[in-house]
């Protein structure tokens, strides 16, 4: 059952507190006023209404009550604002009177468990958080007299929470994971002996051989490494065949009581097997010298992709590409505006590939800026064609398209450079450098909460 608003955090213990303790700090007080508008929370109600239509369950009125979603939104804003994990978030709010009052949690109440907050984050999804951001921007343009005049657009890489991948390392992880899931499934179907052999020991020998061979740093060592890598792929393929047979046997035995658990475990093993097959295919393609177009770099985060941006410090990053657009009231130095919901796509899309998503956000919010500043990664012809619908007067593309006035050119060049600083600020301050949630959907959820926290801080600064 949906619980939208939290009650007043008042109890007998709080009546005895001094006035100075009850008063929130200036930054939290400004955020409290901003998030007190219940219209901003309306997308959460629409999310529950959608679930009623899709599932037929009366989640709005029946079932166990949820935590107050007003409290949940404030908890997630704090989480993104201070770069806390779920456990740290719960611990910090539990120990702070100010944070409790900000989140509308009385001293006599328990702070929601970290698992509750984590599961709600996945259940609500990224689109609902994007709707919260849109509602906040509409509120700003309507009530806070925020008049968007210019927009700067830039794309950035949000790294996945994985280690630097290698084909042999992925094969080793796949062998262990298949053996682990095979043991669980064999226990469910009553197998006395697991049908997926654990080849971790043999795989470890191959990996140690690769490490010793690489240290030689010779031309012959490269061929030996490829041979050992091929052998790791062969070990993985044997485990894949055994996992396929076990999953098929489990589906045949899924009858009567416990059938759902058996089918779920079999589906989980088959999904893992599909990912391991991609790894084995990559190894074969590498040995054959073929081009790998859609490389998988992690078994636990299969949507992450290798991305090359030409950076000296990080030539190759592993994760996702998001396009961020910041609308501002002016183009002077130090301009700080609001960021629109990000445009996403799996892989390494170009700037112009993500641009239609950004333009649709501007159109959806009814924002028509007079000037647009982008970097040299945008191609002039498709960029101008895509922006023509908005009726923008000046489009500045660094190194390709510049206005006739020298003063305007310098002004927009400085304004565009500020987009790099804004992206850096989001990564350092709001955790946009690395997504701790797995998968493309998890990365989008992580990004949208960081954007929402930044926008609330921006509007709070304007009202202080």
């Amino acid at each position: 059952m949906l619980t939208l608003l939290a009650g007043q955090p008042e109890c007998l213990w709080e009546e005895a507190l001094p006035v100075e303790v009850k008063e929130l700090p200036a930054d939290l007080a400004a955020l409290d006023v901003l998030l007190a508008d219940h219209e901003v929370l309306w997308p959460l109600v629409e999310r529950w209404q959608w679930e009623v239509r899709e599932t037929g369950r009366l989640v709005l009125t029946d079932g166990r009550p949820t935590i107050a979603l007003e409290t949940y939104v404030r908890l997630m804003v704090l989480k993104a604002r201070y770069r806390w994990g779920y456990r740290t978030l719960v611990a910090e709010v539990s120990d702070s009177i100010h944070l409790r009052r900000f989140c509308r949690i009385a001293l006599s109440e328990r702070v929601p468990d970290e698992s509750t907050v984590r599961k709600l984050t996945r259940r609500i999804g990224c689109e609902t958080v994007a709707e919260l951001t849109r509602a906040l921007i509409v509120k700003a343009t309507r009530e806070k007299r925020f008049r968007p005049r210019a927009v700067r657009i830039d794309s950035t890489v949000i790294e996945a929470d994985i280690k630097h991948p290698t084909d042999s390392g992925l094969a080793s992880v796949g062998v262990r994971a298949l053996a682990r899931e095979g043991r669980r499934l064999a226990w469910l179907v009553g197998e006395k002996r697991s049908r997926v052999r654990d080849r971790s020991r043999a795989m470890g020998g191959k990996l140690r051989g690769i490490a010793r061979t690489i240290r030689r740093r010779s031309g012959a060592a490269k061929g030996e490494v490829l041979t050992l890598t091929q052998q790791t792929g062969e070990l993985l393929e044997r485990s894949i065949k055994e996992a396929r047979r076990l999953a098929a046997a489990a589906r045949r035995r899924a009858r009567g009581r416990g059938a759902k658990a058996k089918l779920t475990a079999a589906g989980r093993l088959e999904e893992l097997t599909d990912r391991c097959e991609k790894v084995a295919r990559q190894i074969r393609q590498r040995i054959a010298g073929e081009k790998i177009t859609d490389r998988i770099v992690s078994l636990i985060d299969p949507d992450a992709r290798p991305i090359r941006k030409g950076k000296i410090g990080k030539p190759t990053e592993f994760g996702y590409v998001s396009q961020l657009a910041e609308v501002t009231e002016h183009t002077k130095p130090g301009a700080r505006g609001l960021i629109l919901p990000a445009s996403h796509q799996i892989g390494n899309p170009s700037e112009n590939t993500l641009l239609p998503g950004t333009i649709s956000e501007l159109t959806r919010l009814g924002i028509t800026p007079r000037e647009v500043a982008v970097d040299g990664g945008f191609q002039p012809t498709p960029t101008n064609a895509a922006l023509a619908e908005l009726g923008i007067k000046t489009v500045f593309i660094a190194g390709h398209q510049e206005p006739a006035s020298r003063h305007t050119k310098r002004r927009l060049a400085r304004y565009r450079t500020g987009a790099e600083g804004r992206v850096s600020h989001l990564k350092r301050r709001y955790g946009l450098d690395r997504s701790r949630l797995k998968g493309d959907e998890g990365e989008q959820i992580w990004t949208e909460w960081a954007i929402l926290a930044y926008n609330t801080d921006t509007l709070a600064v304007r009202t202080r």
Side-chain angles (χ1 to χ4, degrees):
M1 182 175 66
L2 175 66
T3 305
L4 183 63
L5 304 179
Q8 292 296 327
E10 299 292 343
C11 66
L12 180 61
W13 303 105
E14 295 186 356
E15 292 295 332
L17 294 176
V19 178
E20 294 81 359
V21 177
K22 290 184 179 181
E23 292 180 352
L24 294 176
D27 56 342
L28 291 181
L31 285 176
D32 180 69
V33 173
L34 184 65
L35 296 176
D37 188 356
H38 298 159
E39 292 184 6
V40 177
L41 303 177
W42 185 250
L44 295 170
V45 179
E46 295 178 339
R47 169 63 179 81
W48 254 252
Q49 292 174 345
W50 173 86
E51 192 168 333
V52 171
R53 294 192 299 268
E54 291 295 319
T55 64
R57 296 185 292 113
L58 301 179
V59 294
L60 280 169
T61 56
D62 294 350
R64 185 172 60 182
T66 65
I67 66 173
L69 292 187
E70 180 182 22
T71 297
Y72 166 75
V73 170
R74 291 166 180 252
L75 285 170
M76 291 301 294
V77 168
L78 291 178
K79 179 182 181 299
R81 194 169 187 257
Y82 297 115
R83 300 192 64 172
W84 288 336
Y86 291 109
R87 292 184 180 180
T88 306
L89 171 68
V90 172
E92 292 290 339
V93 175
S94 300
D95 292 342
S96 172
I97 296 178
H98 286 157
L99 295 182
R100 277 180 170 270
R101 293 186 66 84
F102 172 74
C103 295
R104 308 292 174 88
I105 302 174
L107 291 178
S108 58
E109 297 179 3
R110 289 180 60 90
V111 176
D113 190 75
E114 59 92 12
S115 62
T116 302
V117 181
R118 185 177 66 249
K119 292 174 183 177
L120 262 179
T121 300
R122 281 286 186 177
R123 180 178 180 180
I124 289 176
C126 61
E127 184 56 34
T128 304
V129 186
E131 285 293 337
L132 292 174
T133 300
R134 297 184 187 106
L136 197 67
I137 295 175
V138 170
K139 174 183 174 65
T141 55
R142 185 181 65 244
E143 299 179 4
K144 302 298 180 181
R145 300 184 182 277
F146 180 80
R147 299 179 182 275
R149 177 181 181 271
V151 60
R152 47 191 176 192
I153 306 172
D154 195 14
S155 296
T156 186
V157 178
I158 301 174
E159 293 186 87
D161 194 20
I162 61 176
K163 297 188 294 185
H164 194 285
T166 61
D167 289 331
S168 56
L170 290 176
S172 176
V173 173
V175 164
R176 292 197 303 269
L178 288 174
R180 181 178 62 250
E181 293 295 333
R183 284 193 298 269
R184 294 175 181 174
L185 183 56
W187 180 81
L188 283 176
V189 299
E191 287 285 342
K192 296 181 179 179
R193 186 175 180 181
S194 176
R195 295 187 180 182
V196 182
R197 180 183 171 186
D198 189 354
R199 295 179 170 83
S200 301
R201 186 174 180 178
M203 187 66 72
K206 304 299 180 185
L207 294 180
R208 289 190 294 272
I210 292 175
R212 288 193 301 267
T213 306
I214 289 177
R215 293 194 194 102
R216 286 160 40 193
R217 297 181 180 275
S218 62
K222 183 177 180 180
E224 294 181 20
V225 168
L226 289 177
T227 301
L228 291 171
T229 303
Q230 182 179 9
Q231 292 174 3
T232 61
E234 293 172 354
L235 290 174
L236 179 61
E237 289 176 352
R238 295 177 193 173
S239 296
I240 289 173
K241 292 179 181 178
E242 294 172 355
R244 290 291 188 193
R245 286 197 297 265
L246 178 58
R251 289 192 176 277
R252 290 194 299 268
R253 296 187 182 186
R255 300 290 186 273
R257 180 178 296 180
K260 184 177 181 180
K262 295 174 185 177
L263 291 175
T264 302
R268 189 164 53 244
L269 180 59
E270 289 173 343
E271 181 180 1
L272 179 61
T273 304
D274 292 338
R275 298 176 186 176
C276 291
E277 282 186 346
K278 292 182 180 179
V279 174
R281 184 169 61 251
Q282 286 178 185
I283 294 176
R284 292 195 300 268
Q285 290 176 325
R286 179 186 171 188
I287 300 302
E290 300 176 0
K291 183 179 180 181
I292 304 174
T293 56
D294 193 21
R295 179 182 288 274
I296 183 172
V297 296
S298 174
L299 292 178
I300 61 174
D301 196 349
D303 296 330
R305 292 293 181 269
I307 301 168
R308 297 185 67 88
K309 287 290 186 180
K311 298 180 181 178
I312 297 177
K314 289 184 178 179
T316 304
E317 298 175 276
F318 302 94
Y320 307 87
V321 176
S322 295
Q323 189 171 90
L324 305 177
E326 182 185 16
V327 291
T328 59
E329 293 183 303
H330 55 80
T331 58
K332 300 176 183 178
R336 178 169 180 173
L338 301 178
I339 298 180
L340 307 181
S343 179
H344 302 266
Q345 188 170 325
I346 296 178
N348 190 8
S350 64
E351 302 279 9
N352 290 102
T353 303
L354 297 174
L355 184 58
T358 301
I359 294 176
S360 66
E361 289 292 342
L362 290 169
T363 305
R364 184 172 183 174
L365 294 170
I367 297 176
T368 306
R370 296 169 55 188
E371 297 175 317
V372 174
V374 298
D375 61 16
F378 289 81
Q379 299 299 320
T381 301
T383 300
N384 290 324
L387 294 173
E389 302 176 358
L390 297 177
I392 297 173
K393 296 182 178 180
T394 306
V395 178
F396 174 82
I397 305 176
H400 294 285
Q401 181 173 307
E402 301 171 349
S405 170
R406 184 178 300 178
H407 173 73
T408 304
K409 171 185 173 181
R410 288 198 300 265
R411 177 173 57 84
L412 291 180
R414 289 193 297 264
Y415 176 66
R416 190 217 64 80
T417 305
E420 306 288 344
R422 181 64 61 225
V423 170
S424 178
H425 175 63
L426 287 169
K427 289 188 175 185
R428 289 181 289 105
R429 184 69 173 80
Y430 297 92
L432 209 60
D433 54 340
R434 182 180 293 265
S435 171
R436 302 295 178 178
L437 299 181
K438 303 297 187 294
D440 178 58
E441 182 181 0
E443 181 270 333
Q444 293 184 41
I445 294 172
W446 185 273
T447 302
E448 296 304 334
W449 276 115
I451 292 174
L452 180 62
Y454 169 81
N455 286 341
T456 54
D457 276 347
T458 300
L459 293 178
V461 168
R462 294 169 58 88
T463 58
R464 285 165 57 183

